[in-house]
Amino acid sequence: MGITLQEKYQQERDVRLNDKGVSQYLDKSKTASYIIQGDSWVEGGTPVQCPVPDGGHIKIVIFGAGFGGLCAAARALTEGSARSLNDILIVDRAGGFGGTWWHNRYPGLMCDIESYLYLPLLEETGYMPKRKYSSGEEIREYSDKLARKFSLHERAMFQSSGKSLTWDDQAKNWICVVTAKPKGQAEFEVKFTADYAILCSGAFTDPRMPDIPGLKEYEGKMLHTARWTYDITGGSPTDPVLSNLKGKKVAIIGTGATAIQTVPATAKYAGELYVFQRTPSAVDFRGNRDTDPEEWKTKIASKKGWQTARRNNFQAFTEGKANLPEENLANDAFTKMPTASGAWGGPLEVKPEDVESYLSMMHEDDAVRSNRVRQRALDVVKDQETAKKLQAWYPTWCKRPTCHDEYLEAFNQPNVHLVDTAPRGVSALTPRGIAHNGKEYPIDVIIWSTGYGSPLSESLVGKADMTVIGKSYLNMEDCFQNGKLLTLHGLLPKNFPNLFITGFSQSGAGGNQTQRLTDQTLNIAYTIKEGEKRNNGQKTVIEPSDAACEEWANRIASKAHMLKTMANCTPSYFNAEGESDKMTPE
């Protein structure tokens, strides 16, 4: 007697559960022994610019120079919460703008969200993306272009990290300590005060590696996709000809959203490429293409407010099937998977007592797409045994959906070999390579494509290794870890006045992260300006009331049952490797 699709999903999940949860990965302090931790893209001897001197003062300090920080600065200027550039300071540990796009420069890198939606402030810059899905290089270059549009380079303090923020209740401002780390030179600290602090440091900051036996014994070379080392592979971000891999035996460990892009790019040059897979990705068709200038002018960017409208249209099509706009503007694979909303929710109102029927409906709707994607693996990959191992047995919402035009096709190349390590992953490393299931694979270069630490495990300040002390000497990370960090709208944390955060927690979410960042930073700029206006330009303190935070927390909690879709999902960073299933309703 056959089993149902959901029973199959449950079986695949159960065998992959690991009692160690997120602790099956190395602590971030230990990964430095195996992969580059510094900034490869900064020249040694590059000085640190200090727009605010030691002992100085700034109105708004922004931690993070990715799209969150860029939007925060741009909106402060356009909305008037900053009177001029001199009111802004941007601090980032990288050597330039871009955030994750500064550090990530692996071959094949591109964004999986349509560039017309993803690249923020396209109307303000007048920029036309080169392709429907932008490459990593274009995104990084656009980050720099966006910064130049608003003259932000002169207000940036790169190669620097926030060390601490301490609220001064008497002066009504933040005492900020920043550590400058110029490459190849001595570190130094800069201390200043700020009226407002905005945390945009990002949730995906530290590459992770599995803690498996033999790491110290392996004698070959290794790198992580998040800190790609072209000195090992050959090539460069602008010319990714991986000449050093010719004739070499190369392993890629991990098959998530990054590996989907790295595998085809690496397969072109490696002598033999072994792809070690614990859990396959569900890989749909991407259909990337050049941007048609005529279509851009007459249909895409044809009127004021077009990007906001396009983003809202995209969000609607990824939140369910009800009340959809007449036209699907992006019209891509992402907008044709409404059950992706199982990961972040949607407008559908479901009572707690109706959750089971809601889950049944979601599974029924999802089966259509998931079955098609599994069939795609069989249709594309010629070796049917390999194709079957590349089929994903979990609902769409359990992992980041992936789309690519070359990943599955790569397994038709004679030099590409899939090594199925289900359910627990690679067994061990040896001095010569990788051991799994009683077999040793001699490997010259190991490429870890194992992602980042869970965004659920720490607050933004924890991710940034920054200490934030608010009113009554409360430590923000301690509040977060103890489940006591209440906020209003996920932006204004209780007991931390004049401080704003742009994280996932207690906030809106969706497939396109820059939509969230754009809306959050617009809200922040408005709040600062309006607060000062109501206070007649006097020293202003902005903080949410206890009642407002409690009401917001209760509002979020009242919808928590909608995410029961995530229960029993295959382990991933979405559910902290299955640990979130152990959380109590409280």
Side-chain angles (χ1 to χ4, degrees):
M1 186 176 183
I3 61 173
T4 67
L5 182 58
Q6 290 184 50
E7 288 172 338
K8 172 68 171 175
Y9 288 168
Q10 188 68 36
Q11 286 181 357
E12 293 293 322
R13 172 191 185 269
D14 288 347
V15 297
R16 284 172 170 79
L17 283 177
N18 189 322
D19 291 338
K20 293 182 178 180
V22 294
S23 64
Q24 66 189 280
Y25 294 93
L26 287 173
D27 181 87
K28 61 185 179 183
S29 65
K30 297 179 180 179
T31 59
S33 301
Y34 306 104
I35 58 175
I36 290 176
Q37 294 295 303
D39 193 335
S40 300
W41 315 113
V42 175
E43 292 289 337
T46 302
V48 172
Q49 173 181 269
C50 296
V52 179
D54 189 53
H57 179 80
I58 192 69
K59 181 177 183 181
I60 302 171
V61 59
I62 299 168
F63 292 93
F67 282 138
L70 283 164
C71 288
R75 289 309 187 192
L77 292 168
T78 61
E79 304 307 308
S81 58
R83 296 177 296 273
S84 71
L85 280 168
N86 292 329
D87 281 344
I88 295 172
L89 173 67
I90 301 171
V91 178
D92 197 288
R93 65 180 179 177
F97 290 100
T100 189
W101 299 104
W102 172 272
H103 294 289
N104 275 278
R105 305 197 191 191
Y106 60 81
L109 173 63
M110 66 178 73
C111 188
D112 58 4
I113 298 297
E114 184 190 64
S115 58
Y116 319 144
L117 303 164
Y118 183 78
L119 298 179
L121 305 179
L122 283 174
E123 286 188 73
E124 286 78 356
T125 61
Y127 181 75
M128 183 188 79
K130 298 174 184 176
R131 309 203 78 199
K132 187 172 176 68
Y133 302 95
S134 290
S135 68
E137 274 299 287
E138 181 181 13
I139 296 171
R140 185 181 58 79
E141 290 169 1
Y142 178 75
S143 300
D144 198 69
K145 180 181 182 68
L146 182 56
R148 294 191 185 283
K149 169 70 177 179
F150 292 95
S151 302
L152 298 178
H153 286 80
E154 63 188 81
R155 304 304 300 171
M157 186 176 179
F158 293 126
Q159 301 185 80
S160 303
S161 302
K163 180 180 181 181
S164 65
L165 295 177
T166 305
W167 177 250
D168 185 334
D169 207 30
Q170 187 172 14
K172 307 301 181 188
N173 61 26
W174 286 98
I175 301 170
C176 312
V177 179
V178 170
T179 303
K181 303 177 181 180
K183 193 170 185 177
Q185 302 173 57
E187 296 182 6
F188 61 92
E189 290 187 352
V190 178
K191 185 177 180 180
F192 56 90
T193 57
D195 294 328
Y196 305 96
I198 305 175
L199 304 183
C200 305
S201 46
F204 300 100
T205 54
D206 299 297
R208 69 177 183 179
M209 289 175 55
D211 185 7
I212 60 177
L215 272 173
K216 293 181 179 179
E217 284 70 42
Y218 177 65
E219 296 173 356
K221 296 179 179 180
M222 63 172 69
L223 58 94
H224 195 286
T225 51
R227 299 291 184 271
W228 194 275
T229 312
Y230 283 97
D231 287 346
I232 293 176
T233 64
S236 69
T238 56
D239 185 25
V241 177
L242 311 181
S243 55
N244 292 352
L245 299 184
K246 291 182 178 180
K248 299 289 180 63
K249 292 182 172 64
V250 181
I252 292 180
I253 299 178
T255 52
T258 295
I260 297 308
Q261 303 183 113
T262 308
V263 165
T266 307
K268 295 177 183 178
Y269 303 101
E272 301 292 334
L273 176 62
Y274 296 87
V275 181
F276 288 80
Q277 169 189 278
R278 179 178 64 172
T279 304
S281 282
V283 187
D284 207 343
F285 177 70
R286 174 171 280 174
N288 202 5
R289 57 181 173 81
D290 292 343
T291 300
D292 182 340
E294 184 64 23
E295 181 186 12
W296 174 261
K297 182 179 179 180
T298 61
K299 186 175 181 181
I300 299 173
S302 60
K303 58 185 178 181
K304 186 177 181 179
W306 69 266
Q307 191 175 40
T308 296
R310 194 175 185 92
R311 283 175 164 170
N312 292 339
N313 181 279
F314 173 88
Q315 185 71 9
F317 278 94
T318 60
E319 286 186 342
K321 300 191 301 182
N323 302 316
L324 294 176
E326 290 185 6
E327 184 180 6
N328 182 345
L329 297 178
N331 195 30
D332 63 1
F334 233 115
T335 57
K336 295 173 184 177
M337 54 175 89
T339 55
S341 62
W344 51 71
L348 185 65
E349 293 289 339
V350 178
K351 297 178 181 178
E353 59 267 28
D354 296 330
V355 166
E356 293 305 321
S357 60
Y358 167 70
L359 287 174
S360 296
M361 178 197 73
M362 289 287 284
H363 277 287
E364 183 178 345
D365 289 346
D366 186 69
V368 177
R369 177 203 175 256
S370 292
N371 286 335
R372 177 181 60 77
V373 173
R374 281 189 285 271
Q375 182 59 45
R376 180 170 183 262
L378 297 176
D379 293 342
V380 172
V381 180
K382 296 176 182 178
D383 182 88
Q384 291 298 283
E385 290 304 311
T386 299
K388 290 175 183 178
K389 292 174 183 177
L390 289 165
Q391 292 179 309
W393 294 100
Y394 48 81
T396 295
W397 57 79
C398 283
K399 287 182 179 288
R400 178 77 180 182
T402 65
C403 304
H404 206 274
D405 302 332
E406 299 173 4
Y407 176 73
L408 292 175
E409 289 81 352
F411 290 95
N412 291 328
Q413 296 178 214
N415 67 321
V416 179
H417 318 281
L418 180 68
V419 183
D420 185 18
T421 65
R424 294 300 179 90
V426 168
S427 302
L429 300 191
T430 69
R432 296 178 61 246
I434 298 173
H436 185 73
N437 199 24
K439 181 179 179 179
E440 183 182 42
Y441 297 83
I443 299 295
D444 300 306
V445 179
I446 295 177
I447 299 171
W448 298 98
S449 184
T450 44
Y452 295 87
S454 171
L456 306 176
S457 62
E458 296 171 295
S459 70
L460 286 188
V461 297
K463 291 284 186 185
D465 291 323
M466 181 163 44
T467 300
V468 176
I469 305 297
K471 293 170 65 177
S472 303
Y473 304 103
L474 287 172
N475 182 295
M476 179 177 280
E477 182 62 16
D478 287 347
C479 291
F480 179 86
Q481 294 297 336
N482 294 322
K484 296 181 179 179
L485 184 61
L486 297 181
T487 74
L488 177 62
H489 304 154
L491 290 176
L492 284 158
K494 179 182 175 182
N495 294 315
F496 297 88
N498 288 8
L499 186 143
F500 301 85
I501 53 179
T502 58
F504 297 108
S505 182
Q506 302 176 33
S507 183
N512 180 15
Q513 297 306 320
T514 58
Q515 179 177 20
R516 171 179 58 83
L517 293 171
T518 301
D519 291 346
Q520 286 177 325
T521 53
L522 188 62
N523 189 320
I524 291 168
Y526 168 82
T527 301
I528 293 174
K529 184 179 181 182
E530 183 66 15
E532 293 181 339
K533 177 182 176 182
R534 295 185 185 186
N535 204 33
N536 297 316
Q538 301 300 308
K539 189 74 172 180
T540 301
V541 175
I542 301 172
E543 57 181 320
S545 67
D546 291 352
C549 289
E550 290 291 342
E551 191 279 333
W552 182 247
N554 290 334
R555 185 174 173 184
I556 292 172
S558 71
K559 305 289 186 181
H561 61 277
M562 292 287 288
L563 291 181
K564 192 175 179 181
T565 47
M566 297 303 295
N568 299 323
C569 265
T570 306
S572 73
Y573 77 81
F574 272 27
N575 58 10
E577 299 301 325
E579 288 188 358
S580 61
D581 290 358
K582 303 173 186 177
M583 297 171 64
T584 65
E586 292 78 20

